[in-house]
Amino acid sequence: EPEVTQTPSHQVTQMGQEVILRCVPISNHLYFYWYRQILGQKVEFLVSFYNNEISEKSEIFDDQFSVERPDGSNFTLKIRSTKLEDSAMYFCASSEALMGETQYFGPGTRLLVL
Amino acid sequence: SQQGEEDPQALSIQEGENATMNCSYKTSINNLQWYRQNSGRGLVHLILIRSNEREKHSGRLRVTLDTSKKSSSLLITASRAADTASYFCATDLAGNQFYFGTGTSLTVIP
């Protein structure tokens, strides 16, 4: 069964460093998402992406975040200058269609900012 | 805010018993989805129920949706130890931004 994959599974970085989290969505899906989950808290929406542009973003997704689909398969989340509070599990998801279709989640990347 | 809130926060049952979790939300939705998350792992999609549906089944799962009460329930029948996980409801509005609840932590004791 097709699945969303994410790399790396774990990333440790120093505050102020840039990190890039990578995702390979399911191949025939057109919509891509990033969510984050701070330890012990809710899963929070960050951004959705369609047709090579951001379609929605939350207030969390400020100027230090960016997303890109650099090729036909990868979808990346870049955090330009990491802060301690960026430590969280980051989930990528994808869906076939837009309006309320099932989003399939990857296993997540656990980011720790020191 | 448009957020699902599950209750109970934690539920502990014996293997073979049924587990019922509830989700309430605040505003109108297009659909509601239930996800499972094993500790420290990703989210696994369980079932989607649309706003014009009242009940849906998938294996041992039964989901109901009451849009008048803005609530949904997830019933897991004949629970197994492997069902131990956190269960989240997620709701959407007009867009594709999902709002997740705080989750119900289910422990099934063998």
Side-chain angles (χ1 to χ4, degrees):
Chain A
E1 187 176 327
E3 57 183 18
V4 176
T5 59
Q6 290 184 242
T7 54
S9 59
H10 294 78
Q11 173 118 27
V12 181
T13 190
Q14 295 289 327
M15 191 171 59
Q17 295 294 306
E18 174 183 285
V19 294
I20 298 176
L21 310 182
R22 302 179 193 280
C23 169
V24 179
I26 294 173
S27 61
N28 64 331
H29 286 186
L30 301 176
Y31 297 86
F32 315 115
Y33 316 86
W34 284 101
Y35 291 82
R36 78 171 185 193
Q37 185 180 31
I38 295 171
L39 187 64
Q41 298 187 24
K42 294 184 183 187
V43 175
E44 299 172 293
F45 171 81
L46 292 178
V47 66
S48 61
F49 191 87
Y50 168 70
N51 199 27
N52 283 319
E53 60 183 29
I54 290 173
S55 51
E56 287 183 74
K57 61 181 181 179
S58 71
E59 61 273 11
I60 301 168
F61 193 87
D62 60 22
D63 291 344
Q64 70 161 343
F65 291 93
S66 62
V67 289
E68 193 178 30
R69 188 152 163 84
D71 54 43
S73 59
N74 290 285
F75 179 51
T76 62
L77 173 69
K78 182 192 289 187
I79 310 175
R80 260 179 272 282
S81 178
T82 50
K83 304 171 190 168
L84 296 177
E85 54 265 35
D86 293 328
S87 294
M89 184 77 100
Y90 288 81
F91 294 106
C92 172
S94 69
S95 65
E96 278 187 72
L98 174 60
M99 291 295 291
E101 290 301 317
T102 298
Q103 295 184 16
Y104 294 89
F105 282 74
T109 293
R110 185 171 296 282
L111 176 66
L112 178 61
V113 182
L114 302 176
Chain B
S1 63
Q2 172 62 33
Q3 290 182 337
E5 298 293 337
E6 295 90 342
D7 79 88
Q9 288 189 330
L11 181 61
S12 184
I13 59 173
Q14 294 289 329
E15 199 166 34
E17 293 181 338
N18 296 341
T20 300
M21 289 158 271
N22 302 296
C23 168
S24 60
Y25 56 91
K26 295 181 180 176
T27 61
S28 296
I29 58 171
N30 291 313
N31 67 54
L32 183 146
Q33 304 192 37
W34 284 91
Y35 286 84
R36 186 185 78 197
Q37 184 181 36
N38 288 76
S39 180
R41 305 291 295 277
L43 293 154
V44 175
H45 179 259
L46 297 176
I47 201 163
L48 178 154
I49 186 164
R50 300 193 187 281
S51 59
N52 61 352
E53 297 175 312
R54 292 296 167 259
E55 188 171 312
K56 221 167 174 183
H57 297 254
S58 177
R60 293 184 295 112
L61 305 180
R62 173 176 165 254
V63 167
T64 62
L65 179 64
D66 187 337
T67 52
S68 65
K69 294 181 180 177
K70 294 187 172 55
S71 67
S72 172
S73 67
L74 169 68
L75 169 67
I76 303 173
T77 60
S79 63
R80 306 167 182 168
D83 294 330
T84 294
S86 291
Y87 292 82
F88 298 87
C89 67
T91 55
D92 75 324
L93 293 173
N96 53 357
Q97 179 175 156
F98 278 93
Y99 294 87
F100 282 82
T102 50
T104 292
S105 176
L106 174 66
T107 302
V108 181
I109 302 166

